Structures are given as C-alpha cells and as structure tokens.
Amino acid sequence: MASRYDELLAAGTRVVAIDVDSPGQHAAMVDKLELPFPYLSDPDRTGAITAYDLADPNDARGIAIPALVLLDPSGEERFRFVSRDFAERLPEDDVVEAAKRLGLSATTQEPIEVGPLEPGERAMPLDGMPFYFRGGRFSALAMGLRHGHHDDSIKEDSKAFVDEMDRFFEAAQALRARKAGN
C-alpha cells in the first residue's frame, strides 16, 4: 500500500493497518518499510479485529485474518476483501480501483510519528526480504507445476502467489535502493 499511498489519498481513502503486534513492533515495521500510514495495535483482538469479524478462530497464536476493509466517511463498510490464509493479499491495483469506485473526494492524512522501535525477535531484516520473496515465488511456481496439471484452481492460485511475490520482491528491492541512496 505504501507505493500507492498518494493514489489512495487521491481516491478519498485514508490508510490504517491494524494487527496484534505491539506498538514498538509496529514502529519498527513503519521505520523499516518507510510506511506513510499508521499501524495500530489490537493485541487481544477486542478492538477493530473482533469488531470487523477478522479474528482467526483457527489460529492458536491469536492473529487476525489479513483483510482490507474500506469505509466511507460515515463509517459504513463499502468494500471487504478477506484473505483465505495468512499469505494472500489483494493486489495493489485492485485496492486502488476499489477505492476509486467509492467516488469519494480526495483527502489528506496527518503524517505519522514513529515511537520507540522494538523489532520482534523474528523480524526479518530488509536485506533478507528479497531472498524470502524469491523463495516464496519459486515454491509456489513449483507447486503449480507439480499439481496444476490436475487442477486449474491450483494453477491459478500458484500464478496469483507468484505474481504477489514478484510485486513484493520489486517493492523490497526499490526500498533497499532508496535506503542505500540516503
């Protein structure tokens, strides 16, 4: 979302991420990924995560189901995409298009202030992300080739995940290049 942030604001959409991690972990992620939007913490899932029915009842870790929810200025839900699993994300083009379909006026969002950084013990360093995304890409490609000839839905899922990993790889590479230039 960070790379399309200006387009989302132009479409009248303010961006807020919410998950169960601590504020310090969010601050570390915002800093590492140069996110221009706030990342809020709902550690016991009793705030927004439960209110939007996004608590994953099948996950013993107590995480939320990845989702995208677009609200209009009155707070009415106008669009919802709920991932099937922890790895699925809606392509950024689809997010921008969904925001534009709401027909809202352009908006602004206050710059965020990043608090104390407290990366989680399993936080991936930025330099490791491209390798991670490449590994995910080739794993999905292999699974699609291995099983896709039996089931078109597996082939389609594999392609969608490969495309997602390619987008994430490019974003990580661009971010690394920007940070190296600073």
Side-chain angles (χ1 to χ4, degrees):
M1 296 302 148
S3 66
R4 307 296 290 276
Y5 182 68
D6 289 339
E7 291 174 81
L8 291 166
L9 288 174
T13 307
R14 292 183 179 149
V15 178
V16 177
I18 303 170
D19 77 11
V20 299
D21 292 336
S22 72
Q25 289 171 308
H26 290 156
M29 174 121 31
V30 165
D31 181 67
K32 175 174 64 178
L33 299 179
E34 297 181 349
L35 300 177
F37 49 83
Y39 210 142
L40 306 178
S41 182
D42 187 4
D44 62 3
R45 303 186 311 178
T46 60
I49 293 170
T50 299
Y52 287 100
D53 195 27
L54 297 172
D56 187 342
N58 301 314
D59 192 297
R61 298 170 295 170
I63 65 171
I65 300 167
L68 173 74
V69 178
L70 298 179
L71 309 174
D72 66 19
S74 73
E76 182 182 337
E77 184 175 314
R78 300 277 301 276
F79 177 85
R80 173 181 282 254
F81 170 81
V82 179
S83 300
R84 292 174 293 168
D85 57 48
F86 70 93
E88 183 181 36
R89 299 293 187 275
L90 194 62
E92 294 82 2
D93 289 344
D94 294 352
V95 175
V96 171
E97 189 56 39
K100 287 179 179 179
R101 281 195 306 268
L102 296 179
L104 302 174
S105 299
T107 191
T108 60
Q109 192 165 356
E110 292 294 318
I112 59 172
E113 293 183 30
V114 178
L117 309 182
E118 298 171 9
E121 60 187 49
R122 296 183 303 169
M124 183 179 301
L126 179 59
D127 286 340
M129 289 181 157
F131 302 106
Y132 175 81
F133 296 136
R134 275 296 182 228
R137 177 193 199 282
F138 288 111
S139 294
L141 187 59
M143 295 307 289
L145 291 172
R146 185 177 299 164
H147 300 288
H149 61 279
H150 296 298
D151 185 341
D152 284 342
S153 67
I154 291 174
K155 191 175 196 176
E156 291 169 16
D157 277 352
S158 171
K159 178 167 179 5
F161 193 77
V162 166
D163 291 346
E164 183 175 293
M165 291 297 100
D166 286 345
R167 288 192 314 275
F168 291 175
F169 175 83
E170 292 299 323
Q173 290 290 73
L175 180 58
R176 286 176 68 210
R178 260 195 332 274
K179 286 189 174 230
N182 288 341

